[in-house]
Amino acid sequence: MNYQKPKGTVDILPGESEKWQFIENKAREVFNLYHFKELRTPIFEHFEVIVRSVGESTDIVSKEMYDFYDKGNRHVTLRPEGTAALVRSYVENKLYGPEHPQPFKAYYIGPMFRYERPQAGRLRQFHQIGVEAIGTKSPATDVETIAMALDFFQQLGITHTKLVINSLGNVESRSRYREALIAYLTKVEDQLSPDSLRRLHQNPLRVLDSKAPEDQTIVEKAPSILAYLDEESKTFFDEVKKLLNNLSIPYEIDHRMVRGLDYYNHTVFEIMSDAPGFNHVLTTICAGGRYDGLIGEFGGPDERDTGFGFALGIERLLIAIEAEGEELTTSQSIDVYVSCFSHEESSVALRIAQIARHAGLIAEQEIQYRKLKAQLRTANRLGAKFVVFIGEEEIQSNKITVKIMKTGEEKRVPCEELQNFFEEMKEV
Ligand code: ATP
Ligand code: MG
């Protein structure tokens, strides 16, 4: 029988996995500078946790959930996104308490699951990096978090970025806008695409997101949410803009950008890439916003019922890095190849390889006792900087021969000095 991985999944193989590690390490490094800590939640959650926060009428919940009943007849789902789980954890573990730093700032890195039609850059198991800052209503938090995302991209060599922001206003502004939008769309409902028609009463803001060609002129003429912001919402959005200017971060405002999830309000943003490899077509690489009210949905305290976060997909991030013409340098080479020709030599070789590893060098030893030429070919292919020889003579004199591959020079090193020797060689 031939086994194959499930549709919409990938094996991340050596050679590729180094790039993932590089990205994940960079994320940890940059987020740490902004005092975000890692929070790891389970990969599955109670179905309700996701429905409650993401929203019944979203594509994620209505079409894309990997949900099932377990052997105890509990309705659970593989997580389709990270915010719901993190907020659930924040409330459940009372991370709003005085013994935790406030605001509470956390990030996650890991797999997400959505039952979608697999295609380029779209998988059933994909991976996200995301952050959340909970319990702060300050616009400084929005701007700090956006700046952190931009720093992260900068560090990865993604420089063709464009920041787009919008405000959905507070709950009252958003619902006044919702009414106005429904009124407008109802007038032209016979021209809407079937998807948009369905969304019209369930989730009308999502019509603005529509990619259907027949919806485009309708969407263009739709009322702007910015005209419906009340004083509080306007002041908040003005402050966000001011603080972005304060950090000299350029941005554009797109009053039609609404984001797909139900829980957003006030600031929403996307970072887009127009890297040469995308033929200057704008591609979203990071998205997020403010979700005041979500913590309350989970039973969290009113005075901490505010949050701001973003998420990005690692698969699409890799595509964006490629589109920049950047090659993530992932060194595959080793430092030391320990050659040997017999079972007896092999145990000495093993000890020498250990000494090299404990000195911080990547070491590999010959295990097939092949001819010298074959061993050297392997050492070269692995990019070894040094090859160690253990011959009979070496064992007798308790000195081994180290060949420096770059210069061809050979050195005889007493075994007891080997650790020091390797440590010095690390700098070479
Ligand atoms: P799209 O409009 O492309 O479906 P989305 O609005 O569903 O995106 P979000 O829920 O905001 O996306 O998720 C954030 C990021 O996660 C996306 O920008 C993308 O990089 C990534 N992502 C989402 N779904 C998938 C998927 N099925 N496969 C790979 N990456 C994905
Ligand atoms: Mg989607």
Side-chain angles (χ1 to χ4, degrees):
M1 170 148 191
N2 272 335
Y3 290 111
Q4 287 180 340
K5 58 190 179 308
K7 197 172 162 183
T9 66
V10 291
D11 297 316
I12 300 159
L13 305 177
E16 187 67 13
S17 60
E18 287 85 352
K19 296 181 189 168
W20 286 69
Q21 289 173 350
F22 179 80
I23 288 174
E24 290 163 6
N25 291 342
K26 272 282 174 261
R28 291 174 199 284
E29 218 174 281
V30 174
F31 298 170
N32 187 44
L33 294 176
Y34 286 78
H35 197 219
F36 280 72
K37 307 276 181 193
E38 185 175 17
L39 195 161
R40 302 189 190 199
T41 65
I43 274 166
F44 64 102
E45 290 281 341
H46 288 297
F47 184 76
E48 270 309 305
V49 167
I50 308 297
V51 175
R52 191 65 183 267
S53 59
V54 176
E56 202 112 31
S57 64
T58 56
D59 283 353
I60 292 181
V61 169
S62 64
K63 296 189 203 149
E64 300 168 358
M65 293 279 264
Y66 253 103
D67 62 315
F68 58 99
Y69 289 85
D70 73 4
K71 290 186 172 61
N73 210 30
R74 295 172 201 92
H75 195 183
V76 293
T77 181
L78 301 184
R79 61 183 188 190
E81 58 107 55
T83 303
L86 202 130
V87 169
R88 193 266 310 134
S89 173
Y90 171 81
V91 175
E92 183 173 349
N93 294 292
K94 301 195 171 54
L95 302 178
Y96 43 77
E99 64 277 31
H100 300 282
Q102 302 299 333
F104 180 77
K105 303 202 288 191
Y107 68 88
Y108 56 85
I109 300 177
M112 303 293 162
F113 305 84
R114 293 186 197 176
Y115 197 83
E116 297 199 71
R117 201 161 58 79
Q119 47 191 292
R122 195 173 288 285
L123 294 159
R124 290 185 173 169
Q125 173 172 336
F126 62 101
H127 300 79
Q128 282 187 344
I129 297 178
V131 313
E132 316 291 349
I134 304 179
T136 152
K137 175 91 208 200
S138 168
T141 296
D142 305 29
V143 172
E144 168 188 285
T145 310
I146 291 171
M148 181 168 83
L150 290 167
D151 274 2
F152 175 52
F153 290 134
Q154 187 83 39
Q155 289 279 319
L156 295 175
I158 299 179
T159 52
H160 294 78
T161 51
K162 187 166 118 172
L163 169 65
V164 183
I165 60 171
N166 190 23
S167 173
L168 304 181
N170 56 16
V171 177
E172 298 80 56
S173 303
R174 185 175 158 159
S175 69
R176 274 201 302 138
Y177 175 66
R178 190 175 185 277
E179 291 315 311
L181 187 62
I182 291 176
Y184 165 76
L185 291 174
T186 309
K187 273 191 279 177
V188 290
E189 72 184 346
D190 51 332
Q191 298 162 48
L192 285 174
S193 69
D195 261 352
S196 292
L197 190 58
R198 192 171 44 77
R199 289 189 178 126
L200 170 52
H201 291 283
Q202 279 187 337
N203 195 348
L205 268 66
R206 292 243 32 204
V207 175
L208 302 182
D209 244 0
S210 166
K211 285 161 193 110
E214 63 264 47
D215 294 336
Q216 294 316 304
T217 45
I218 299 174
V219 166
E220 262 160 44
K221 291 191 192 128
S224 162
I225 192 159
L226 297 176
Y228 288 79
L229 299 186
D230 62 11
E231 272 318 302
E232 189 221 337
S233 305
K234 248 190 249 158
T235 308
F236 193 92
F237 194 40
D238 284 344
E239 192 61 26
V240 168
K241 290 184 276 186
K242 216 165 79 192
L243 290 173
L244 284 170
N245 293 335
N246 179 46
L247 293 183
S248 310
I249 296 175
Y251 59 86
E252 279 174 30
I253 298 170
D254 176 358
H255 69 87
R256 276 186 286 269
M257 188 179 73
V258 291
R259 308 290 314 126
L261 307 180
D262 273 0
Y263 50 58
Y264 285 123
N265 47 51
H266 285 295
T267 322
V268 290
F269 79 99
E270 287 189 8
I271 297 171
M272 307 177 111
S273 161
D274 63 347
F278 288 136
N279 296 321
H280 299 281
V281 176
L282 281 169
T283 307
T284 301
I285 52 174
C286 174
R290 182 162 276 284
Y291 47 83
D292 301 346
L294 186 62
I295 288 79
E297 285 282 319
F298 281 89
D302 280 351
E303 66 279 12
R304 296 266 178 233
D305 194 1
T306 57
F308 188 89
F310 66 74
L312 57 95
I314 303 182
E315 286 81 0
R316 287 188 210 170
L317 189 59
L318 282 161
I319 296 171
I321 292 170
E322 212 169 284
E324 290 280 345
E326 283 281 318
E327 185 62 55
L328 290 187
T329 41
T330 54
S331 167
Q332 301 259 38
S333 62
I334 68 168
D335 299 308
V336 178
Y337 195 82
V338 188
S339 154
C340 67
F341 297 94
S342 69
H343 185 63
E344 297 77 64
E345 286 179 17
S346 172
S347 58
V348 181
L350 178 60
R351 284 208 307 275
I352 291 171
Q354 285 300 85
I355 294 172
R357 290 163 186 151
H358 294 162
L361 296 176
I362 304 171
E364 187 70 284
Q365 86 171 86
E366 168 71 16
I367 49 160
Q368 296 177 74
Y369 320 141
R370 293 170 301 168
K371 295 220 162 61
L372 177 64
K373 217 169 135 190
Q375 294 193 27
L376 284 176
R377 210 182 306 123
T378 301
N380 271 322
R381 194 167 44 79
L382 294 173
K385 295 191 199 92
F386 312 103
V387 177
V388 175
F389 295 102
I390 319 157
E392 212 140 294
E393 199 198 313
E394 276 87 355
I395 294 177
Q396 294 276 316
S397 65
N398 210 29
K399 280 183 181 165
I400 56 148
T401 303
V402 181
K403 181 170 181 172
I404 301 164
M405 297 302 272
K406 202 154 105 192
T407 57
E409 187 189 352
E410 292 191 5
K411 288 200 163 143
R412 307 257 299 164
V413 186
C415 281
E416 60 278 9
E417 286 172 25
L418 212 49
Q419 167 114 22
N420 274 343
F421 175 79
F422 280 141
E423 259 157 28
E424 277 163 31
M425 283 301 146
K426 207 164 56 175
E427 316 303 325
V428 179

